[in-house]
């Protein structure tokens, strides 16, 4: 009864959390989508500028609407207006005849271009239609011909005079207001002035645009008082770049809200009933993106699917589809949020709300990306780019959620369920025999001897030490090790292996063959570690449990306090061992590392020893042991300290190897992770998502290259690459920034680490992103890698040695900065879209700037006085 009540209570709390988060995001979406309230009554619409191409049709590709398509369009428009303006006769001949059937008044246009034969044919067709159709009330010969520079004024006048001579209806040409003012001689050859009043193009804010348009209308009327004025185009786009005024003082924002505002204010204006005008335009024309930029497709009162984009009464919404998006996001996120809140009942309520909100944010962002084709007209190139961007968003969201889970567990979990401590030592007569294996290759002998001597001081009786020198050719490096082992007696055995295969794993497998038969546990120590005397005494008792296969102590470092780069390395390593290992240990999903580790010998032999095909043989072994049902334990007690990598090149080489090996493991073990195996759900989660951070680094590199390519497209083909990719990419970048912030917060909350060292660790972590990304791609592509020992001594020499380790990062940084400079020089730097994209390129520079900072830190001198050493253990309050 008590258990049932507890389950019901947990379910109610989880349901409340999931529901409240879903409702909160719905309210937030509504708040962000709510725009201006439309006040006043809109008058009926005098006329529409109409072009009948359907969503996937284009005159540039020679695909045209059928008679039925045009008839349906005109029936739709006739419900709100009785007049249309057209732009061409020959391309869309059905426009005139179908409008005539509906008794709509027509201002018929002839398209005039630089090609004389085409112009003659177009004008012939217009004149013939004018003579035969009573519904055509006037003609417009040419549309913005002078604005585009297709013809001179004199050349255009020839066509105007001919049209006026060969038929009796009024004739004009259509140009913006300033073109009429600039060319007053043109007015003598027209019967009326057809003017385009489009304040958006002039950077006039939407709230002032109607009065501005009427001011320009009045200016024309004063200048040419004897000419009738017809507004051939007046409107506002629902999408498009932000346009800046000539003096840079104001900006025009293309949005659904501003389009509704402008048209409503124009139709509600007291003067509009007395004006002769055509709204620009009736229906969105996606094909215009290729000739006018991406704003050109979004001037319609109706979208390309022939749906109204806004109502002329009530509130103008910034996003007309927000309810569908918010509802879908809430429904899709509800079950994951419910499960998280239910199963993480050992977290406090704030932590569960935090993770549920993170799930909701990720789902909502994906919904925004998936709905982009609803809000924008995308061609095939755009759809490919969008698909890649959505995939990147999904992967970034997965990385963020895995980090958020780790973040929440460390900060909000009430206590660790599997927290292991050092145990009381066995009496000598009950001590299992331990064989300690120390593999080395081409190491400084004095460093290895320090490790050997520390093992000689162990407070443990039943052990042996095998020194496995792997393919070191220089006798100066391995002979001293052999001599030191001889001095320490038979417990220390030295083996020099020449031309031995399998890298470190091969040497360790040889060690298994020559291990003392009495050995029950095999210990592995790296060649640079000074081991605490109580290592074996405190950890071996854990093997009293027969299912325990691995007992792992953290890696720690020494001699790092006096050098800036080594401080960065130390604290960057600490983050994993003080945070990530606890997180994984909670569900028996350790990442086994190859030093300070103890392995049950029978289990090691049962799974086939160390894998020589993998250059991260330690992690791969741990996974195999867990797949075979064994328990692994992490004891957060420092039992040895090694040396940090010697310089930035060394740690880059190490991380490349780790990332490469991780991908080898992932490829090899995917069947066990997703198929039938003894791994439980939590273990599968950890081993599938454990490398998400590195996959995120690989994604960052792809994103950087993609940003550069898109920048090149913007510079070379501005109309084709003018879509709002910056707005679509911002959620991905926001996720990356949020993910980057989690690390410093965890450091501050869990370790006694000064802010300067938190910053240093963060810079190193970001600076390694490029090397990790290369390792990920190499591991995914290649089958075999080369084990490279991480140097522990200074090796950089020569005048140009500084630039060698960071030459690729410098190249990427230069390319990104060049892209920023080119955009600012060749594009309108005052436009928000340009600024956003420049900001995105700037964010892409951060990993490469961090790499340079790391290299600079590696070259800084030692400090004379050691800085105080903080206690790096997790604070008890978080456990």
């Amino acid at each position: 009864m008590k258990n049932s009540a507890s389950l019901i209570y947990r379910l109610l709390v989880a349901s409340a959390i999931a529901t409240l988060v879903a409702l909160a995001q719905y309210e937030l979406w509504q708040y962000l989508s709510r725009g201006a309230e439309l006040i006043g009554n809109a008058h009926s619409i005098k006329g529409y500028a109409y072009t009948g191409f359907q969503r996937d049709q284009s005159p540039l590709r020679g695909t045209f609407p059928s008679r039925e398509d045009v008839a349906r369009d005109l029936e739709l428009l006739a419900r709100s207006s009785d007049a249309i303006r057209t732009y061409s006769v020959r391309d869309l001949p059905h426009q005139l005849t179908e409008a005539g059937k509906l008794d709509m008044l027509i201002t018929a246009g002839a398209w005039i271009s630089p090609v004389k034969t085409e112009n003659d044919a177009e004008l012939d067709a217009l004149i013939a239609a004018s003579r035969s159709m009573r519904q055509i009330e006037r003609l417009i010969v040419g549309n913005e011909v002078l604005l585009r520079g297709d013809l001179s004024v004199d050349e255009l006048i020839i066509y105007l005079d001919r049209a006026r001579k060969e038929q009796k209806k009024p004739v004009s040409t259509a140009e913006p207001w300033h073109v009429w003012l600039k060319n007053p001689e043109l007015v003598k050859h027209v019967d009326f002035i057809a003017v385009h009043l489009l304040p958006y193009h002039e950077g006039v804010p939407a709230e002032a645009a109607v009065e501005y348009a009427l001011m320009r209308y009045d200016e024309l009327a004063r200048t040419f008082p004897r000419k009738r004025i017809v507004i051939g185009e007046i409107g506002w786009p629902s999408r498009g770049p932000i346009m800046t005024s000539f003096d840079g003082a104001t900006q025009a924002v293309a949005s659904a809200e501003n389009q509704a505002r402008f048209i409503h204010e124009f139709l509600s204006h007291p003067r509009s009933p007395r004006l002769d005008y055509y709204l620009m335009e009736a229906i969105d024309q996606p094909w215009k993106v290729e000739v006018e930029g991406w704003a050109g497709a979004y001037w319609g009162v109706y979208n390309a699917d022939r749906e109204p984009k806004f109502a002329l009464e009530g509130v103008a919404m910034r996003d007309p589809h927000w309810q569908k998006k918010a509802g879908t996001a809430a429904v899709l996120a509800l079950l994951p949020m419910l499960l998280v809140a239910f199963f993480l009942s050992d977290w406090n309520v704030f932590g569960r709300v935090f993770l549920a909100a993170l799930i909701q944010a990720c789902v909502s962002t994906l919904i925004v990306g998936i709905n982009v084709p609803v809000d924008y007209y995308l061609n095939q190139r755009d759809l490919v780019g969008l698909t890649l961007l959505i995939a990147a968003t999904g992967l970034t969201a997965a990385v963020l959620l895995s980090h958020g889970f780790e973040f929440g567990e460390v900060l909000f979990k009430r206590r660790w369920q599997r927290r292991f401590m050092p145990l009381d030592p066995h009496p000598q007569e009950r001590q299992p025999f331990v064989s300690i294996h120390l593999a080395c290759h081409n190491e400084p002998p004095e460093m290895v001897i320090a490790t050997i001597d520390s093992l000689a001081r162990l407070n443990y009786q039943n052990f042996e030490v095998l020194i496995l020198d792997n393919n070191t050719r220089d006798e100066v490096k391995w002979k001293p090790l052999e001599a030191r082992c001889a001095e320490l007696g038979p417990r220390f055995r030295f083996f020099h292996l020449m031309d031995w295969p399998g890298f470190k794993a091969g040497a360790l497998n040889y060690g298994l063959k020559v291990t003392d038969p009495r050995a029950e546990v095999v210990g592995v120590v790296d060649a640079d570690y000074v081991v605490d005397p109580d290592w074996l005494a405190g950890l071996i008792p854990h093997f009293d449990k027969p299912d325990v296969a691995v007992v792992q102590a953290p890696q720690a470092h020494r001699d790092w306090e006096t050098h800036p780069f080594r401080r960065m390395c130390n604290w960057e390593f600490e983050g994993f061992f003080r945070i990530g290992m606890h997180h994984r240990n909670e569900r028996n999903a350790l990442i086994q590392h190859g030093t300070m580790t103890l392995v049950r010998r029978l289990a090691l032999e049962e799974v086939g020893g160390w894998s020589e095909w993998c250059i991260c043989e330690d992690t791969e072994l741990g996974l195999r042991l867990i797949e075979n049902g064994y328990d692994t334990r992490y004891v957060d007690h420092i039992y040895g300290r090694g040396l940090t990598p010697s310089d930035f090149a060394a740690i880059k080489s190490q991380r490349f190897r780790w990332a490469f090996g991780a991908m080898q493991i992932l490829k090899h073990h995917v069947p066990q992770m997703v198929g039938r195996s003894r791994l439980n759900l939590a273990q599968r989660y950890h081993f599938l998502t454990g490398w998400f951070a590195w996959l995120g680094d690989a994604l960052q590199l792809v994103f950087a290259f993609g940003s550069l390519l898109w920048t090149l497209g913007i510079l070379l083909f501005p109309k084709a690459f003018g879509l709002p990719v910056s707005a679509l990419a911002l959620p991905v970048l926001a996720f990356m920034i949020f993910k980057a912030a989690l690390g410093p917060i965890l450091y501050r909350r869990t370790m006694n680490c000064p802010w300067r060292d938190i910053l240093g660790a963060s810079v190193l972590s970001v600076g390694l992103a490029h090397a990790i990304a290369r390792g990920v791609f190499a591991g995914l592509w290649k089958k075999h890698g080369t084990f490279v020992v991480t140097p522990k001594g200074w090796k950089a020499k020569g005048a140009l040695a500084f630039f060698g380790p960071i030459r690729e990062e410098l190249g990427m940084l230069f390319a990104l900065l060049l892209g920023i400079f080119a955009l600012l020089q060749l594009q309108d730097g005052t436009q928000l879209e340009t600024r956003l994209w420049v900001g995105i390129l700037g964010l892409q520079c951060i990993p490469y700037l961090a790499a340079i900072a790391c290299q600079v830190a590696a070259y800084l001198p030692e400090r004379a006085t050691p800085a105080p050493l903080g206690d790096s253990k997790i604070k008890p309050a978080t456990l």
Side-chain angles (χ1 to χ4, degrees):
M1 185 69 180
K2 185 177 179 180
N3 289 338
S4 297
S6 175
L7 286 174
I8 292 173
Y9 174 75
R10 286 172 57 192
L11 184 59
L12 289 174
V13 172
S15 300
I17 289 172
T19 303
L20 287 174
V21 171
L23 289 175
Q25 74 92 29
Y26 191 89
E27 290 296 322
L28 178 62
W29 213 315
Q30 181 181 34
Y31 173 77
L32 295 175
S33 299
R34 186 177 179 84
E37 186 172 357
L38 305 178
I39 302 173
N41 295 319
H43 304 290
S44 60
I45 297 171
K46 288 285 189 69
Y48 289 107
Y50 170 67
T51 305
F53 291 96
Q54 306 294 300
R55 184 181 186 119
D56 298 320
Q57 295 172 344
S58 169
L60 305 176
R61 299 193 303 271
T63 54
F64 297 91
S66 65
R67 180 184 295 274
E68 291 74 18
D69 292 332
V70 173
R72 283 192 297 268
D73 283 351
L74 293 175
E75 287 173 3
L76 175 66
L77 301 182
R79 299 171 192 169
S80 54
S81 179
D82 59 1
I84 62 168
R85 175 210 165 173
T86 65
Y87 292 84
S88 174
V89 180
R90 294 188 304 146
D91 282 353
L92 300 169
H94 307 311
Q95 293 178 130
L96 303 181
T97 56
E98 293 302 319
K101 292 178 183 178
L102 296 171
D103 259 351
M104 299 182 80
L105 295 175
I106 306 167
T107 296
W111 187 259
I112 301 299
S113 70
V115 183
K116 184 178 185 302
T117 55
E118 291 292 318
N119 294 342
D120 290 340
E122 185 75 9
L123 193 56
D124 288 343
L126 178 65
I127 292 170
S130 173
R131 290 170 176 170
S132 62
M133 292 186 63
R134 62 178 178 80
Q135 291 88 353
I136 296 178
E137 60 174 338
R138 55 192 164 215
L139 310 182
I140 293 181
V141 178
N143 186 72
E144 297 184 348
V145 173
L146 301 181
L147 178 69
R148 290 193 307 273
D150 288 350
L151 297 178
S152 67
V153 174
D154 291 338
E155 290 171 326
L156 179 58
I157 286 173
I158 294 173
Y159 292 111
L160 293 171
D161 289 346
R162 178 188 165 195
R164 296 175 74 195
K165 179 180 179 182
E166 296 185 14
Q167 57 83 49
K168 299 185 180 300
K169 294 175 182 176
V171 174
S172 184
T173 188
E175 295 287 350
W177 61 270
H178 65 277
V179 175
W180 285 105
L181 294 176
K182 183 180 178 181
N183 300 282
E185 68 273 24
L186 188 64
V187 177
K188 300 176 182 178
H189 299 270
V190 298
D191 300 306
F192 64 96
I193 295 173
V195 64
H196 292 174
L197 299 173
L198 304 172
Y200 164 77
H201 285 312
E202 299 178 58
V204 180
E207 56 270 19
V210 170
E211 291 299 333
Y212 176 85
L214 293 177
M215 178 192 73
R216 293 304 185 186
Y217 178 95
D218 292 339
E219 185 177 1
L220 274 179
R222 289 193 302 271
T223 306
F224 307 110
R226 297 183 180 181
K227 287 291 184 180
R228 177 179 177 81
I229 298 177
V230 175
I231 302 175
E233 292 179 356
I234 187 167
W236 197 273
S238 59
R239 302 282 178 186
I242 294 177
M243 303 299 290
T244 305
S245 61
F246 298 119
D247 58 4
T250 59
Q251 290 185 325
V253 178
S255 69
E257 175 193 7
N258 283 343
Q259 184 182 43
R261 180 206 296 261
F262 178 87
I263 292 179
H264 176 84
E265 289 184 3
F266 176 72
L267 295 180
S268 302
H269 199 281
R271 293 183 60 183
S272 67
R274 301 192 300 273
L275 298 175
D276 204 345
Y277 65 85
Y278 298 91
L279 287 184
M280 176 61 187
E281 63 186 312
I283 299 168
D284 281 352
Q285 296 293 295
W287 66 271
K288 290 185 178 180
V289 169
E290 299 183 46
V291 292
E292 298 181 14
W294 61 280
Y298 300 96
W299 289 84
V301 174
Y302 295 88
N303 65 26
D305 296 318
R306 278 51 184 173
E307 300 167 339
K309 292 161 70 172
F310 51 83
L312 291 178
E313 305 292 340
V315 176
M317 306 305 294
R318 293 189 177 97
D319 181 1
H321 305 102
W322 75 267
Q323 288 178 302
K324 180 180 179 181
K325 295 175 186 177
T328 303
V331 169
L332 292 179
L334 192 63
L335 181 59
M337 291 192 296
L338 179 65
L339 294 175
V340 161
F342 179 79
F343 286 109
L344 299 181
S345 58
D346 54 347
W347 290 25
N348 63 34
V349 172
F350 182 80
R352 283 179 281 172
V353 170
F354 160 77
L355 191 55
L358 196 57
I359 292 171
Q360 182 68 79
C362 292
V363 172
S364 298
T365 301
L366 287 171
I367 291 298
V368 170
I370 292 170
N371 278 276
V372 165
V374 175
D375 299 326
Y376 297 91
Y377 305 120
L378 308 181
N379 57 31
Q380 189 172 7
R381 179 200 64 245
D382 301 325
L383 287 172
V384 170
L386 176 64
T387 301
L388 294 175
L389 189 58
I390 291 175
T393 304
L395 181 55
T396 304
V399 173
L400 182 65
L401 288 172
S402 67
H403 279 270
F405 179 42
E406 180 180 354
F407 177 94
E409 185 156 66
V410 172
L411 293 187
F412 306 122
K413 193 180 181 75
R414 295 186 179 95
R415 65 180 181 277
W416 297 112
Q417 302 298 319
R418 281 170 49 96
R419 187 188 180 199
F420 300 109
M421 304 295 292
L423 299 178
D424 293 333
H426 288 135
Q428 181 177 342
E429 62 274 12
R430 288 187 52 219
Q431 290 179 347
F433 193 87
V434 180
S435 181
I436 301 172
H437 298 175
L438 191 162
C440 56
H441 167 73
N442 209 35
E443 305 282 9
E446 63 276 8
M447 182 184 76
V448 185
I449 289 173
T451 301
I452 294 171
D453 288 346
S454 71
L455 293 171
R457 294 190 292 268
L458 287 173
N459 295 328
Y460 200 86
Q461 297 302 314
N462 295 333
F463 74 95
E464 67 170 355
V465 178
L466 308 185
I467 313 300
L468 306 166
D469 185 80
N470 176 22
N471 295 308
T472 301
R473 298 189 178 277
D474 188 353
E475 291 188 358
V476 173
K477 291 187 176 181
W478 66 264
K479 280 290 187 180
L481 308 183
E482 184 180 46
R484 184 56 179 158
C485 289
E487 293 172 3
L488 292 172
R491 176 178 281 175
F492 289 78
R493 293 191 282 158
F494 179 83
F495 300 89
H496 180 58
L497 308 175
M498 281 304 298
D499 299 321
W500 199 260
F503 308 111
K504 182 179 179 180
L508 292 175
N509 280 332
Y510 177 82
L512 282 178
K513 295 177 183 178
V514 296
T515 291
D516 191 305
R518 295 172 295 164
E520 298 180 39
V521 176
V522 172
V524 178
V525 178
D526 277 354
D528 61 308
Y529 266 71
V530 173
V531 179
D532 187 277
D534 293 327
W535 174 43
L536 297 183
L539 297 187
I540 287 296
H542 283 280
F543 288 97
D544 290 348
K545 296 285 187 180
D547 63 334
V548 173
V550 174
V551 181
Q552 183 82 67
Q555 292 186 21
H557 299 94
R558 66 183 193 274
D559 302 336
W560 53 266
E561 298 91 340
T562 60
H563 192 273
F565 181 73
R566 294 201 295 270
R567 290 187 72 90
M568 294 167 69
C569 290
N570 174 77
W571 288 110
E572 198 268 345
F573 276 97
E574 288 284 287
F576 175 71
F577 291 103
R578 302 291 170 248
I579 300 170
M581 284 291 270
H582 283 278
H583 178 58
R584 299 181 68 99
N585 183 61
E586 191 72 352
R587 280 161 288 277
N588 186 28
L590 286 187
I591 291 288
Q592 186 182 5
H593 49 94
T595 192
M596 308 308 299
T597 187
L598 298 168
V599 188
R600 190 182 296 274
R601 181 184 182 184
L602 288 178
L604 178 56
E605 292 176 341
E606 176 188 326
V607 298
W610 305 90
S611 294
E612 299 180 20
W613 57 267
C614 182
I615 62 175
C616 287
E617 74 293 326
D618 43 8
T619 301
E620 198 277 336
L621 172 64
L623 177 53
R624 272 187 291 137
L625 291 169
I626 293 171
E627 287 172 351
N628 278 266
Y630 284 105
D631 188 22
T632 60
R633 295 187 174 187
Y634 177 65
V635 180
D636 190 6
H637 185 90
I638 295 174
Y639 277 113
R641 295 183 183 273
L643 299 174
T644 64
S646 60
D647 55 19
F648 189 51
I651 198 170
K652 282 186 63 179
S653 173
Q654 180 192 66
R655 291 306 163 85
F656 178 91
R657 173 167 61 87
W658 289 359
F660 188 104
M663 296 305 104
Q664 284 184 305
I665 295 168
L666 193 60
K667 290 188 298 183
H668 188 82
H669 287 269
V670 160
Q672 289 75 30
M673 294 180 194
V674 300
R676 296 186 62 181
S677 73
R678 297 177 69 175
L679 294 174
N680 60 39
L681 184 61
Q683 290 168 335
R684 293 170 192 262
Y685 163 80
H686 278 293
F687 283 107
L688 281 171
T689 65
W691 293 292
F692 268 13
W694 289 351
L695 290 172
D697 290 330
L699 172 64
Q700 192 277 330
L701 181 59
V702 172
F703 201 70
F705 274 112
S707 300
L708 288 171
L709 290 175
W710 200 271
T711 300
L712 191 62
I714 291 173
L715 294 172
L716 297 179
F717 311 102
K719 291 181 179 178
F721 286 83
L723 280 169
V725 290
S726 50
L728 303 180
L730 282 177
V732 178
L733 294 172
F735 279 176
M736 290 180 176
I737 294 169
F738 183 63
K739 180 178 77 73
L742 295 182
I745 294 172
L746 283 178
Y747 268 66
R748 192 62 181 173
R749 287 291 303 274
T750 59
M751 293 187 290
N752 187 17
C753 181
W755 273 112
R756 62 171 181 169
D757 289 321
I758 292 176
L759 177 62
S762 300
V763 169
L764 179 58
S765 177
V766 174
L768 290 169
H770 184 76
I772 291 170
R774 290 182 64 250
V776 167
F777 288 121
L780 290 172
W781 180 257
K782 296 181 181 178
K783 185 175 182 181
H784 301 292
T786 301
F787 189 101
V788 179
V789 175
T790 303
K792 301 297 198 274
W794 188 264
K795 302 184 74 173
K797 296 179 181 178
L800 299 178
F802 177 88
F803 301 101
I806 55 172
R807 60 184 183 277
E808 292 182 4
E809 288 90 337
L810 286 170
M812 288 295 296
L813 179 62
F814 176 78
L816 289 166
L817 292 176
L818 183 62
I820 291 173
F821 177 78
L823 279 174
L824 293 176
Q825 292 297 313
L826 301 178
Q827 298 286 307
D828 183 0
T830 62
Q831 282 212 23
L832 180 61
E833 295 294 328
T834 302
R835 293 176 180 176
L836 283 174
W837 195 247
V838 166
I840 287 172
L841 294 177
L843 286 174
Q844 297 298 312
C845 293
I846 291 175
Y848 309 111
L849 290 170
I852 296 171
C854 292
Q855 183 69 346
V856 170
Y859 272 75
L860 293 176
E862 296 272 353
R863 291 174 181 165
T865 304
L869 173 62
D871 179 9
S872 63
K873 291 185 179 179
I874 289 184
K875 298 176 182 178
T878 66
L879 299 176

